[in-house]
Amino acid sequence: IEREHNRAKALTLDELVDSCKNGDVLQFFSRLNGLEKFVWIPISKLLANSIWVHTAVVVEDPHAGKVVYTFSKAPSKSRTPIWRENEQMCQTPLRKFLELNMKHESHVMKIYRAPEKVQKMDFKAAAKNFLDHRNFMTDFCFNFSRSSKLLHCGNFVGQMLEELHVFDR
């Protein structure tokens, strides 16, 4: 974390929101390591061998403005379902998402900036292909193979990018 923090560029919240574009991938580090608070954070760090424990993609929606898409166990006051058919696939206004994650998690985050061709892609259409998927925490399973219908925030974003043919095969 210290290495990432030293490489980071400090931005105000306004600068961060303004700079985010359609397709940018956001990852957050969590300082909540205590098992009495959250069991998932330490387990996810161990399983993923990564400090980044939450992932979302920025989507510029013509009606809602800049939002993030993420996959969650359930909607909440801050997360609303993108479609009624799957309430675990959620969107949150970008600013609210950043404020909540910075309040509850950390001010340390990583942004993977989308190339210009990705900024023009339709993430809502790509996300619709996962309407029949469920969050793995609902079933307490860890099967994240390509054929699995279980998702978490990271592989939801990754599979959307694959669906849009962002990655070379």
Side-chain angles (χ1 to χ4, degrees), residues 65-159:
K66 289 183 184 179
V67 297
V68 294
Y69 282 7
T70 192
F71 217 85
S72 300
K73 187 176 175 184
S76 68
K77 290 178 183 176
S78 61
R79 294 185 302 263
T80 57
I82 301 168
W83 293 284
R84 286 190 324 255
E85 297 89 348
N86 185 339
E87 61 182 23
Q88 294 173 335
M89 197 181 307
C90 298
Q91 71 179 17
T92 304
L94 175 61
R95 178 178 288 280
K96 185 171 199 141
F97 179 82
L98 292 169
E99 287 170 348
L100 287 170
N101 277 281
M102 289 175 180
K103 177 180 176 184
H104 296 295
E105 303 291 343
S106 166
H107 289 284
V108 180
M109 62 180 288
K110 192 169 208 165
I111 303 173
Y112 294 91
R113 297 291 183 182
E116 196 170 321
K117 73 173 190 169
V118 175
Q119 291 177 17
K120 297 174 183 170
M121 294 181 171
D122 187 350
F123 281 84
K124 190 165 188 172
K128 196 157 195 169
N129 292 317
F130 303 105
L131 281 176
D132 60 342
H133 288 59
R134 293 291 171 256
N135 185 278
F136 76 97
M137 288 295 284
T138 305
D139 295 330
F140 297 101
C141 296
F142 289 99
N143 178 6
F144 299 130
S145 68
R146 292 188 188 278
S147 62
S148 173
K149 296 287 187 181
L150 300 175
L151 294 178
H152 64 81
C153 58
N155 68 353
F156 171 60
V157 170
Q159 286 190 21

Side-chain angles (χ1 to χ4, degrees), residues 3-91:
R3 184 180 66 233
E4 292 291 340
H5 195 355
N6 290 335
R7 287 191 242 178
K9 177 183 174 187
L11 296 173
T12 67
L13 187 58
D14 287 336
E15 290 170 328
L16 184 56
V17 170
D18 289 344
S19 72
C20 285
K21 304 281 184 223
N22 194 60
D24 286 353
V25 175
L26 310 177
Q27 288 195 301
F28 285 88
F29 167 75
S30 178
R31 296 189 189 276
L32 301 174
N33 291 312
L35 285 172
E36 71 281 354
K37 290 185 178 180
F38 292 97
V39 173
W40 169 240
I41 302 295
I43 290 173
S44 68
K45 286 179 181 179
L46 180 69
L47 290 174
N49 191 26
S50 175
I51 60 173
W52 310 109
V53 297
H54 192 40
T55 306
V57 64
V58 176
V59 176
E60 293 185 36
D61 184 286
H63 305 292
K66 289 183 184 179
V67 297
V68 294
Y69 282 7
T70 192
F71 217 85
S72 300
K73 187 176 175 184
S76 68
K77 290 178 183 176
S78 61
R79 294 185 302 263
T80 57
I82 301 168
W83 293 284
R84 286 190 324 255
E85 297 89 348
N86 185 339
E87 61 182 23
Q88 294 173 335
M89 197 181 307
C90 298
Q91 71 179 17

